[in-house]
Amino acid sequence: MYELGVVHRTVHRPARERVEAVAPFGVATLHEAMGRTGLMRPYLRPVYRGAALCGTAVTVLLQPGDNWMLHVAMEQVRPGDVLVAACTTECGDGFFGELLATSARARGAVGLVIDGGCRDVAELEAMDFPVFSRAVHAKGTVKATLGSVNVPVVCAGALVRPGDVVVADTDGVVVVPPERLDDVAGAARRREDAEEGKRRRLAAGELGIDMYGMRGPLDAAGLRYVD
């Protein structure tokens, strides 16, 4: 069960250089480098084209239709953090907009991931404040019900703990636990190096079924060519 009505002030953030080691890689690469794990559900989308982020999670547990805890969370934000907001039950209301983004940026936040709605999209794009949300919705919220800040949350199907590293781009959102950062960064680099070699071969006209040695298994599976 979620812990309600609490703000945990201590967040164990990994060293910035360790976070920056995964920043150059796309979400798809990091997901594959972790053994195809860590992804949030695909309904989370950037609210404007080109939005991307990488940072350490400050988690927020919201009540439906209530953004009180987002205001509370701002005090806990440090430079390089990503606000990661989940809700106690499904809700697409507009929890977040330009004014909260202004506050978050002043505290050093690099973006927001929210399993809920946001609004003021044109202003967010003009600010270049990255937001990944389940909905864009003008509906307002109240400030009346306690949630929590910096507790483990499940956001769009992924467990996020305070201090986890969150990376988001056009392909989605992925969560990298701090204890796996170094291994994942190394695996992601190896994947990208290998893909560059494959890219050159494919660009030269080589077929994937030959490059990946698929002809034998295809033949064994009974694939037939008919002229």
Side-chain angles (χ1 to χ4, degrees), residues 60-62 66-74 145-149:
V60 188
L61 180 63
L62 301 168
D66 193 315
N67 75 348
W68 211 4
M69 290 298 103
L70 280 169
H71 289 272
V72 173
M74 295 304 169
T145 316
L146 288 179
S148 290
V149 176

Side-chain angles (χ1 to χ4, degrees), residues 15-120:
R16 191 63 204 169
E17 60 268 21
R18 297 180 65 222
V19 178
E20 291 172 351
V22 299
F25 302 109
V27 166
T29 296
L30 293 171
H31 159 67
E32 295 279 1
M34 285 197 297
R36 300 196 302 277
T37 63
L39 282 181
M40 292 189 184
R41 297 286 299 278
Y43 58 70
L44 287 191
R45 302 302 304 149
V47 300
Y48 62 86
R49 187 171 183 175
L53 59 81
C54 175
T56 44
V58 166
T59 62
V60 188
L61 180 63
L62 301 168
Q63 298 282 1
D66 193 315
N67 75 348
W68 211 4
M69 290 298 103
L70 280 169
H71 289 272
V72 173
M74 295 304 169
E75 188 176 22
Q76 307 307 316
V77 170
R78 302 292 179 265
D81 283 343
V82 175
L83 288 158
V84 179
C87 195
T88 58
T89 192
E90 184 175 308
C91 184
D93 293 354
F95 291 95
F96 187 92
E98 176 196 5
L99 292 179
L100 273 169
T102 300
S103 178
R105 173 152 287 165
R107 301 291 297 175
V110 298
L112 166 75
V113 174
I114 182 167
D115 196 354
C118 81
R119 58 187 187 176
D120 301 335

Side-chain angles (χ1 to χ4, degrees), residues 6-18:
V6 64
V7 176
H8 290 279
R9 291 176 170 171
T10 301
V11 175
H12 298 288
R13 298 169 174 86
R16 191 63 204 169
E17 60 268 21
R18 297 180 65 222

